[in-house]
Amino acid sequence: MSTRRDFLQIAGLSTLALSLPLADTLAASVFSKEDKVLRVAIMGLGSYGTRVAEAMKESKRAKLVGVISGTPSKVETWRQKYGIPDKNCYNYENFDQIKENPDIDAVYVITPNSLHKPYGIRVAKAGKHVICEKPMALNAAEGREMIAACKAAGVHLLVGYRMHFEAKTLEVVRMQRAGEFGKTLFFQGLSGFIIGDPTQWRLNRELAGGGAMMDIGIYSINGSRYMLGEEPIWVTAQEVKTDPVKFKEGVDETITFQMGFPSGAVASCLSTYALNNLDKFYLDGTKGFAEMQPSTGYGPIQARTNNGPIEREHITHQTVQMDEMAAIILDGKKPVIPVDGEEGLKDLVIVDAIYEAVKTGKKVMIG
């Protein structure tokens, strides 16, 4: 059975002839035992925090060494399960003390959206690198505050864009950049599922900052940008709400939105909490196409082009993400698709524009 190391070596070599920058990036993913390890504390010990912690067991460059939670029972469970020292366990009131803890390099903020900015800034002021789940903040203004705080503190700000390291996604991006689809003219992104518990934080405007757009819609926004390889200059958007009891004021159920790009390409996207089986990207060009379905789930991702299926080994997304983020922070590695605060801000600018378009019914210009 091939290993992750074998896969990365092969992937790097196979792209050498067509894309030296991408090949260099992939080949640099082969880590040696002597490489430094990024020591990470996870803030927010819910379901996704657990997923990241489990994935990090297989990481070569990142190690879980600390926890931050407002629930003492969760802290104790994680302390025992992952062998975390007492001195690396914090709550939301005292985690500023990590400033005095040399055994923690970075904090991965996996909290409700409204807490990303205040907690991320506190982490930065404590002198630790910030890894933040997406969306990076509630809006572009908050995102700019986070970027400024991290720059002032001299720490990295990275966003949990796991798809930016996924092998099949990277192959589609490579093909698009190499012109193998010709001029790319159209992108479709369908992102949605039927949400469950109506009392969860994702349906609380104060905690989530919105509804489906702030959770699942961000994938189509981000995907349109890296698959078309350019930034949108306008958006239009329409909202549909069939259940105003479950989806209260300020919590979107379904939004369809369109984006226009400088090249003339357009994107047509759907973000919803009311429909299942929606996880699809489609890219169309003058010489070919790419289709991914599922396109952003936890995997395995399925992808095909006009040349046939794309075959790559499935590796747990969060494992690859944490290894690659360690390389960015520790080695200065430049990823094929950025995952820094500026990348997160670009998505937030578009989210703001979409909500404005829904409210006004007008085309909203960006930039």
Side-chain angles (χ1 to χ4, degrees):
M1 179 179 293
S2 61
T3 65
R4 176 173 180 273
R5 184 183 300 272
D6 295 332
F7 161 72
L8 290 169
Q9 289 174 327
I10 293 169
L13 291 172
S14 66
T15 57
L16 181 60
L18 293 174
S19 176
L20 284 173
L22 180 56
D24 290 344
T25 301
L26 289 173
S29 297
V30 183
F31 306 120
S32 70
K33 294 180 181 179
E34 292 75 25
D35 285 323
K36 293 182 293 183
V37 171
L38 184 71
R39 299 165 299 176
V40 180
I42 289 180
M43 174 188 291
L45 310 183
S47 60
Y48 194 72
T50 300
R51 184 179 291 274
V52 172
E54 289 298 301
M56 285 176 67
K57 289 180 178 179
E58 302 302 319
S59 292
K60 304 294 191 300
R61 298 292 311 273
K63 179 181 180 182
L64 175 62
V65 300
V67 293
I68 303 168
S69 174
T71 307
S73 60
K74 286 186 178 180
V75 172
E76 178 59 22
T77 298
W78 280 53
R79 187 187 67 79
Q80 294 186 27
K81 183 175 182 180
Y82 298 105
I84 296 170
D86 287 336
K87 66 182 181 65
N88 292 358
C89 297
Y90 301 89
N91 57 46
Y92 294 127
E93 286 70 46
N94 68 12
F95 77 81
D96 305 272
Q97 295 173 14
I98 61 174
K99 184 175 184 177
E100 310 302 327
N101 191 336
D103 296 334
I104 295 174
D105 302 313
V107 175
Y108 196 156
V109 181
I110 310 178
T111 63
N113 301 336
S114 66
L115 300 176
H116 290 178
K117 186 198 83 169
Y119 287 170
I121 290 176
R122 282 174 64 185
V123 169
K125 288 182 176 180
K128 305 301 180 182
H129 301 294
V130 181
I131 302 173
C132 184
E133 254 315 299
K134 57 195 176 301
M136 185 174 77
L138 294 184
N139 50 55
E142 286 195 356
R144 292 187 181 97
E145 287 184 60
M146 293 177 70
I147 291 170
C150 290
K151 285 183 178 178
V155 298
H156 284 270
L157 170 58
L158 304 181
V159 186
Y161 289 116
R162 57 186 168 83
M163 302 313 300
H164 292 200
F165 307 109
E166 196 277 323
K168 293 179 182 178
T169 300
L170 285 175
E171 175 59 9
V172 172
V173 169
R174 184 201 66 75
M175 293 177 70
Q176 192 275 340
R177 291 184 181 183
E180 294 184 30
F181 303 123
K183 182 178 180 180
T184 45
L185 301 170
F186 176 73
F187 172 83
Q188 181 187 49
L190 304 177
S191 302
F193 62 91
I194 297 175
I195 198 165
D197 180 9
T199 66
Q200 65 178 281
W201 70 263
R202 287 177 179 82
L203 298 179
N204 181 325
R205 182 183 181 182
E206 296 303 313
L207 293 176
M213 181 61 62
M214 298 296 286
D215 180 21
I216 193 71
I218 200 81
Y219 284 101
S220 283
I221 292 172
N222 192 249
S224 71
R225 294 174 48 242
Y226 63 68
M227 290 189 73
L228 284 169
E230 52 182 332
E231 302 297 326
I233 55 177
W234 59 259
V235 301
T236 53
Q238 308 79 37
E239 181 177 8
V240 176
K241 186 172 291 190
T242 64
D243 189 348
V245 175
K246 187 174 185 179
F247 303 97
K248 297 178 175 55
E249 181 69 24
V251 179
D252 48 286
E253 174 188 331
T254 300
I255 293 178
T256 55
F257 59 99
Q258 304 77 41
M259 295 180 283
F261 296 79
S263 68
V266 294
S268 177
C269 304
L270 172 67
S271 164
T272 184
Y273 270 158
L275 298 166
N276 277 333
N277 308 309
L278 291 179
D279 183 10
K280 179 181 178 179
F281 285 174
Y282 181 79
L283 180 70
D284 194 36
T286 56
K287 295 181 180 178
F289 70 88
E291 182 179 54
M292 306 180 73
Q293 187 175 17
S295 57
T296 63
Y298 295 138
I301 301 301
Q302 299 297 329
R304 69 185 183 97
T305 73
N306 48 290
N307 294 325
I310 295 176
E311 302 293 346
R312 295 290 187 278
E313 179 184 0
H314 170 66
I315 305 169
T316 302
H317 297 171
Q318 294 80 6
T319 302
V320 181
Q321 173 193 319
M322 295 310 299
D323 275 344
E324 294 295 324
M325 285 186 166
I328 291 169
I329 291 172
L330 299 175
D331 307 336
K333 182 178 179 180
K334 301 297 183 184
V336 174
I337 312 172
V339 292
D340 57 14
E342 296 294 341
E343 175 75 2
L345 178 60
K346 289 176 182 178
D347 283 342
L348 291 174
V349 168
I350 298 169
V351 169
D352 287 352
I354 289 171
Y355 280 135
E356 183 181 347
V358 166
K359 183 179 179 180
T360 63
K362 298 178 180 179
K363 176 186 288 188
V364 175
M365 305 306 294
I366 300 174

